[in-house]
Amino acid sequence: MITYAILGITFLYAVIQIILYASRQRKPLTREDIDERLLAALNGGDTARE
Amino acid sequence: MSKKKPVIFRPFKAPRYSFEKLRICRRCRHYTALSEERCAHCGRAALIPVEKYAVSLAGRKVQTRLLVILLLTLAGIYFGQDLQQMVLCGAGGLVLAGLVYYTQRKVRQNENLYALNKLLGRNIFSIKEDLELNRQEAVTVLRENDVLAYEKLREISVLLRGDRISRQRVALLHGFQLRKDMTLELEQLLLKDFEPLLAEYIGEIARVRPELIKDRTLRYVKNYEVQILEMDKGLDIMTAVASAAVRMKRYALLYSGMIGRYVQELPKDRFLRLSRLIAANPYEPWNGLDAKVEEIRELKYRWDPEV
């Protein structure tokens, strides 16, 4: 019985991980996004100078 | 007599993404934008680019998740009451691990970027502090080695783009003799308000590297034209900028009014260029520049067969 419970937990854990990966993949990040966010955070939203 | 110092800068190419300039120490987790070999905090040669560090963090996370599934599978096998339960649990666990592994491989690139985003987001305050320390370091070497100070500020300015660093860089550049072969910048140094040293630098750049005079610089010069003309060499600066602007039809059209005010001062080759530009595009809206060029041709180059 314990084996099946553990297998169930493993299944749930794996499904949650796959759903998390899939949801992130649906709204992928780009290097441009990260660059923009970093510059905005460092320069108080002023990234006009390129 | 010019007091400017002849200098040689190390070659510098700004990275495509600003975070490519940022490195983290694997030992003490401090950040730096400078190209030093060793970490300024712990002194160890453990600096790596943040992107590489984020990839290793993402890799560790991926491995941990797989390991959890495998450990749960092993626990299931251990608690199995008969062979059938053990085999079922083992096979089920392996299938699930295989599925997660397959998904991880498919999303790895995105996960790496998420890890980088998280790393930078979580540590933004320490990044700010460390970059400020980098800036202070550049300022401290200013007295002994102004070239090194400039190079450090140039590196930091990839990430910190405020007027403060630009002002310091312009002030340092003011003391250097500019040459065509130098790695020079202009658009990155433009300030929000008027600065005579910057105006002088723009004038020098217009003479040494006219290709660096672009839209934003022309807008800056146009906005502060009155203040520039009040300077000792104001007219020379404006003439040099106008000469640089006529290299492109777009700029000649956009800033025709400003160019028109200095057309009389333009060197012959620049005047020729503008004159040919207008002759090749007679139906463009030159905003009176064509008439002015015609007038100057009559006045100055009437007997010149070239013009």
Side-chain angles (χ1 to χ4, degrees), chain A residues 3-4 6 10-11 13 17 21 24-25 27-29 31-32 34-35 37 39 41 43 46 49-50, chain B residues 17-18 51 65 72 76 79-80 89 96 104 110-111 113-114 117 128 159 161 163 188 190 192:
Chain A
T3 305
Y4 290 131
I6 291 174
T10 315
F11 177 77
Y13 180 78
Q17 292 309 319
Y21 284 137
R24 278 188 194 167
Q25 188 72 3
K27 35 183 181 178
L29 262 180
R31 285 188 161 74
E32 283 80 8
I34 299 172
D35 192 44
R37 277 179 210 175
L39 288 177
N43 300 291
D46 175 22
R49 241 167 259 136
E50 276 155 27
Chain B
Y17 304 110
S18 56
E51 196 169 1
R65 283 171 184 171
L72 282 170
F79 288 110
C89 188
L96 289 172
Q104 283 175 341
N110 198 36
E111 284 302 301
L113 292 179
Y114 263 91
N117 192 42
K128 267 187 187 178
L159 287 147
R161 299 180 173 189
D163 274 10
Q188 292 86 342
L190 293 177
K192 284 189 188 117

Side-chain angles (χ1 to χ4, degrees), chain B residues 1-10 146-147 150 154 169-185 200-201 203-205 207-209 233:
Chain B
M1 204 179 92
S2 171
K3 283 176 190 169
K4 291 184 186 275
K5 189 170 133 184
V7 292
I8 295 173
F9 296 142
R10 276 180 295 174
D146 49 0
V147 178
Y150 172 75
R154 185 173 62 175
R169 290 175 70 201
V170 168
L172 281 168
L173 280 165
H174 186 67
F176 303 147
Q177 236 175 52
L178 304 182
R179 292 185 320 272
K180 207 178 171 58
D181 61 318
M182 277 176 166
T183 315
L184 296 169
E185 294 165 289
E200 250 181 69
Y201 178 70
E204 279 186 64
I205 286 287
R207 281 181 282 269
V208 180
R209 295 274 302 275
K233 291 177 183 171

Side-chain angles (χ1 to χ4, degrees), chain B residues 202-236:
Chain B
I202 291 173
E204 279 186 64
I205 286 287
R207 281 181 282 269
V208 180
R209 295 274 302 275
E211 70 276 13
L212 294 181
I213 304 285
K214 292 177 187 165
D215 223 14
R216 288 190 58 222
T217 312
L218 290 168
R219 246 181 291 148
Y220 182 87
V221 170
K222 197 181 161 191
N223 284 344
Y224 297 109
E225 190 177 348
V226 178
Q227 288 91 328
I228 294 174
L229 286 174
E230 281 168 6
M231 292 168 63
D232 281 350
K233 291 177 183 171
L235 184 64
D236 292 347

